[in-house]
Amino acid sequence: MRKIWLKKNEDRRIRAGHLWVFSNEVDTQKSPLTDFAPGEEATLCDARGAPLGSACLNPASLICARLHAHRADTPLDKTLLHERLSRALILRQRLFPEPWYRLCHGEGDFLPGLVIDRYGEHCTLQISTAGMESRKEFIVQCLDELLAPASLLFDNDLAARGLEGLSREAQSRGDLPGRLEVPENGCRFFAPCATGQKTGWFYDQRANRRELARYADGADVLDIFCYAGGFGVTAAAAGAASVAFLDASPQALALARENAAVNAPALAGKGAVETICGDAFHQLNELYEEGRRFSLISLDPPAFIKRRKDAAQGLAAYRKINVLAMRLLTPGGVLASSSCSHHLAAEALRGCVAQAASRRRLHARLVYAGGQGPDHPVHAAMPETAYLKCFIAQVG
């Protein structure tokens, strides 16, 4: 491998275990980034020439190098991919009795740029770096040897692929299922395969959905940004008195209603399942003006902060949506507030909940603080990989 050199004192984060190298950390006099091809491997060295590990490069990206091995010249070949995916599979098989989970979580499984969600005999993959894209054939071979999946979908509609200069057109192999069937927390969900959000289902909220369901018995539930109804349906199956699903997508609301009918047929049969289509900020104001109130609310918005420069505007949006949601709680009601933006710290989200309660001259008692599930492991040296936050609070 050729060498890529860091500037003086830019090696501390890497020595601590971090896997990303930013372009402004590279000594471009010794190792011009433009000399490297997208996806090419190189040995990363400190300013004195001591090797720090092996990385795949993309000179066009702000994150110009991603390590797959520390302190060794280790190629990202089929052998390494098979070893890492095998370890990832063993961990998931210890965690879950059935093959529905995130099989590979990028840096959390020491495979930067690779995400794989498993749905029984189907796998959906997201490859976000030139390094992994050039090794796609090896990845498929490893999956065939480990799982023998009936179908594969490469969900390439990712902004990160555009930044890496990669095509965003989806690819597939085998006969894709029309939709995914996902068993979770005693429920059975349907979700889109090729047309859904992200990889089709959000496994990362599995434990948080289960926790919120503990407060569902007899509750009137509002599931905001519901997608296919994960929080609301789990609450319905746990004994909720009624469920209202709110989302801007008619397709998502149709799935949420169907999932509610499958998992809580008695509730759906008596007309206690409602769908509300529209912008959440507007619809929450409308519900408040109509005098509607709920004793259990899930608030799971998309990432309002996608880039660091949007932090102030995004934080204002999180504050506002928490205020709007909390206004709809009955006295003593329970709110689950989530954020999937890694640019929003957990303490900032907790502050949003506290401030929303304060504006109503109420107190919020935190009864649960959660994050992403164990099939989305956090790299201990990379706080960026701890993206999901979920606080459950009783307000009164």
Side-chain angles (χ1 to χ4, degrees):
M1 301 181 193
R2 292 196 290 165
K3 294 181 179 180
I4 181 169
W5 296 66
L6 293 179
K7 296 176 182 176
K8 186 178 180 180
N9 297 328
E10 295 289 1
D11 58 319
R12 296 173 183 173
R13 185 169 44 81
I14 302 300
R15 290 186 185 279
H18 208 286
L19 301 181
W20 293 351
V21 178
F22 295 92
S23 56
N24 61 358
E25 298 171 330
V26 174
D27 186 338
T28 54
Q29 296 297 316
K30 292 183 178 178
S31 50
L33 287 172
T34 53
D35 286 354
F36 294 88
E40 182 178 344
E41 288 183 88
T43 300
L44 182 67
C45 300
D46 67 14
R48 296 169 299 173
L52 299 172
S54 303
C56 288
L57 276 64
N58 190 341
S61 176
L62 175 63
I63 305 174
C64 65
R66 300 171 195 257
L67 277 80
H68 52 266
H70 272 97
R71 305 176 185 88
D73 274 340
T74 304
L76 184 60
D77 55 14
K78 183 184 174 183
T79 299
L80 184 64
L81 285 164
H82 195 283
E83 175 190 337
R84 298 275 170 87
L85 288 173
S86 296
R87 291 180 181 179
L89 177 60
I90 291 170
L91 174 62
R92 274 62 174 188
Q93 289 174 333
R94 294 178 65 182
L95 293 169
F96 304 105
E98 298 179 297
W100 278 267
Y101 41 69
R102 173 151 292 185
L103 172 61
C104 180
H105 187 57
E107 285 79 357
D109 287 298
F110 311 108
L111 289 172
L114 178 61
V115 165
I116 305 173
D117 278 358
R118 186 181 185 187
Y119 300 95
E121 295 185 342
H122 169 79
C123 289
T124 295
L125 298 87
Q126 290 185 327
I127 295 176
S128 57
T129 65
M132 281 296 173
E133 179 73 12
S134 63
R135 291 155 180 81
K136 183 164 65 176
E137 184 177 343
F138 289 156
I139 296 168
V140 171
Q141 291 173 7
C142 292
L143 288 177
D144 285 340
E145 293 168 10
L146 292 169
L147 307 177
S151 58
L152 299 173
L153 171 65
F154 292 91
D155 180 10
N156 293 334
D157 190 17
L158 302 170
R161 286 181 64 87
L163 296 175
E164 292 269 325
L166 303 174
S167 169
R168 297 180 64 173
E169 184 177 350
Q171 298 173 311
S172 63
R173 191 195 73 175
D175 294 328
L176 297 181
R179 56 182 181 174
L180 305 167
E181 187 172 342
V182 184
E184 181 184 287
N185 294 327
C187 297
R188 183 165 59 97
F189 291 93
F190 295 106
C193 178
T195 61
Q197 297 179 19
K198 301 295 184 180
T199 63
W201 185 250
F202 294 88
Y203 283 127
D204 53 0
Q205 287 276 27
R206 183 190 330 230
N208 301 326
R209 286 189 277 259
R210 181 173 62 244
E211 186 67 23
L212 187 63
R214 297 175 62 185
Y215 305 91
D217 190 27
D220 294 310
V221 179
L222 175 62
D223 188 353
I224 309 167
F225 300 104
C226 67
Y227 183 45
F231 278 99
V233 169
T234 306
S242 68
V243 180
F245 297 102
L246 196 165
D247 203 277
S249 166
Q251 179 195 33
L253 290 172
L255 275 170
R257 182 180 286 278
E258 180 181 359
N259 286 329
V262 169
N263 293 283
L267 197 67
K270 65 180 184 180
V273 174
E274 175 187 3
T275 57
I276 305 167
C277 189
D279 173 75
F281 291 89
H282 174 75
Q283 293 296 337
L284 293 180
N285 269 320
E286 289 287 309
L287 290 171
Y288 180 76
E289 294 298 328
E290 293 168 7
R292 299 285 301 276
R293 299 295 182 266
F294 303 87
S295 52
L296 185 63
I297 296 178
S298 167
L299 175 61
D300 186 17
F304 289 152
I305 310 174
K306 295 183 178 179
R307 297 172 297 180
R308 190 177 299 278
K309 68 177 184 178
D310 300 327
Q313 181 180 356
L315 178 59
Y318 280 112
R319 286 172 175 163
K320 183 176 181 180
I321 200 72
N322 275 272
V323 168
L324 294 175
M326 199 170 290
R327 290 198 308 172
L328 297 172
L329 275 179
T330 57
V334 173
L335 170 70
S337 181
S338 301
S339 168
C340 61
S341 174
H342 76 261
H343 292 296
L344 185 75
E347 279 301 294
L349 180 61
R350 183 198 57 76
C352 291
V353 174
Q355 292 168 21
S358 178
R359 288 188 59 168
R360 293 190 63 206
R361 299 183 180 181
L362 298 171
H363 293 285
R365 296 194 295 175
L366 294 180
V367 294
Y368 173 80
Q372 62 224 56
D375 52 345
H376 294 63
V378 174
H379 191 298
M382 300 184 67
E384 300 91 341
T385 61
Y387 67 95
L388 184 64
K389 285 77 60 177
C390 178
F391 289 104
I392 299 180
Q394 186 187 41
V395 182

